[in-house]
Amino acid sequence: MEKLRNFINGEYCDPTTGEYIDNYEPATGKVYSLIPNSGTEDVQKAVDAAEKAFPIWSKMSIDERSKILVKLSEGIAARMDEFTKAESRDNGKPLSLATHVDIPRAVSNFHFFATAILHFASESHNMEGVGVNYTLRKPIGIVGCISPWNLPLYLFSWKIAPALAAGNCIIAKPSEVTPYTAYLLGQVAKDAGMPDGVLNILHGEGHTVGDAIVKHPKIKAISFTGGTKTGEYIARTAAPVFKKLSLELGGKNPNIIFDDCDFKEMLSTTLRSSFANQGQICLCGSRIFVQRGIYDKFKAEFVKRVSETVVAEPNDPKAKLGALVSKSHLEKVLSYVKIAQEEGGTVLTGGERVLLDAPFDNGYYMRPTVIEGLSYDCRTNQEEIFGPVVTITPFDTEEEALMMANSTVYGLSATLWTSDLKRAHRMANEIHAGIVWINAWLVRDLRTPFGGVKASGVGREGGWEALRFFTEPKNVFVKY
Ligand code: NDP
């Protein structure tokens, strides 16, 4: 059985605990590799290495740092096939998705921040006749990056690329559920010429090694993406020691469809925004609100298309949905179907596990599910399910749609479908969300601010926002 290893000080090494955790292949439900069950001593080793590397990396010219990050990006692109297969196997997502979305995006993340840093400037404020202020933007030092399992390398690189570009050294932890592509990344970084100790990648459980990263006094900032409950714990733990925090958390995103939308385009995009990556994207629109005039038409055509959607093993080119990430997650998602029924909802299609033929008969497959007949404030419509389950709810007025959309504790993203430009702007202005798509979904420009409001997080990633997060501003005044 293959054993994954930590990457510390430019070398692969075993965990000091000597312990390993099983790594399951979601497509088959079988263990296929072992993950280091790292502990506090591994974090200490990584921090020691990062401390030594920091003066080298932070004082390197921006040009040199940029070149290393460009090489890192090219290094992933050169091993595209290996990375896409690994991501799909580790996560259960269709290979086509890993090939078209996950790994190309990881390549872009590194390339984007490798070049963004060349243009990152700081401010100066002149005081006429008095003096001038200028702002230095210094790297923070050692930072912690903790990422989830749904878009493993995509979200891992979305943090570590800006952190590295800004001159920080990193202690990073991918999700224990999907560690493989982060494991491969160590070698790519080494081959790109990254000095030893700059990027340290530790594997293991959140409540042990993740917690040790959050608590370590020399790790000055934490960039975290994951569940709201974990984010809350991290915020509570980091607050007394005044760590800088970026928290990208859960969502329960509304997809609001007006009578006057482009129906065809809306329908095909709504299929994606509901079920891409088995509905396990924080930006998926899981609450679909449809204006009464087209509700019946939408329901008929959407349910037909969803029921025809192919659920298959990830390497099958016909697979639109692969396996969910783990047995426990599949059970959690299925439990919400039961809750929805108890709350009076009707399952229009799906709602059950899919049993494929051997060797995939123990895989974590589920039919995409559409539920109607629920009130906007029931548990199914308020809590994050994070799987292939959506609800559909009719509405009459803009005010009603807005009230229901804004009724959850979350505020990550929202999608609006309408041909009325004034209404689109009005709604976008009022909706509780960090990201609003109008007549589109998941169109991403890496320069734009990314993140949520309310329980969906604190702070923003992307573009200058990320580079500002990973630097500390220092104002200097010089008297004339
Ligand atoms: P979790 O919060 O369970 O875990 C996220 C990461 O944090 C994992 O690496 C996990 O490790 C680690 N972790 C868990 N507990 C601790 C702890 N006490 N201290 C430090 N680290 C810890 O989230 P999931 O992995 O289940 O991801 C799904 C969630 O992520 C959903 O809520 C989704 O909405 C959210 N998400 C948000 C996005 C956004 O941009 N806003 C984007 C993508 C997902 P381990 O897995 O080993 O336990």
Side-chain angles (χ1 to χ4, degrees), residues 141-152:
I142 307 175
V143 300
C145 297
I146 302 177
S147 59
W149 48 256
N150 61 327
L151 301 164

Side-chain angles (χ1 to χ4, degrees), residues 146-149 173 175-176 204 206 210 224 226-227 230 249-250 282 384 450:
I146 302 177
S147 59
W149 48 256
K173 192 196 93 63
S175 169
E176 151 224 336
F224 169 80
T230 317
L249 310 176
C282 52
E384 188 185 43
F450 179 90

Side-chain angles (χ1 to χ4, degrees), residues 64-82:
E64 260 183 282
R65 258 195 337 245
S66 165
K67 280 186 183 138
I68 291 174
L69 290 171
V70 168
K71 274 198 197 150
L72 207 166
S73 156
E74 290 168 350
I76 301 171
R79 293 168 67 172
M80 183 61 78
D81 198 43
E82 184 186 359

Side-chain angles (χ1 to χ4, degrees), residues 415-464:
T415 304
L416 300 173
W417 291 94
T418 179
S419 301
D420 181 339
L421 199 58
K422 282 188 182 168
R423 169 157 65 198
H425 287 302
R426 220 168 29 236
M427 294 281 289
N429 190 44
E430 292 296 330
I431 213 147
H432 301 167
I435 304 152
V436 180
W437 281 291
I438 297 166
N439 300 325
W441 179 71
L442 205 58
V443 178
R444 292 279 298 117
D445 178 329
L446 304 190
R447 295 169 301 178
T448 59
F450 179 90
V453 299
K454 303 199 293 192
S456 289
V458 181
R460 292 291 181 274
E461 297 186 311
W464 300 145

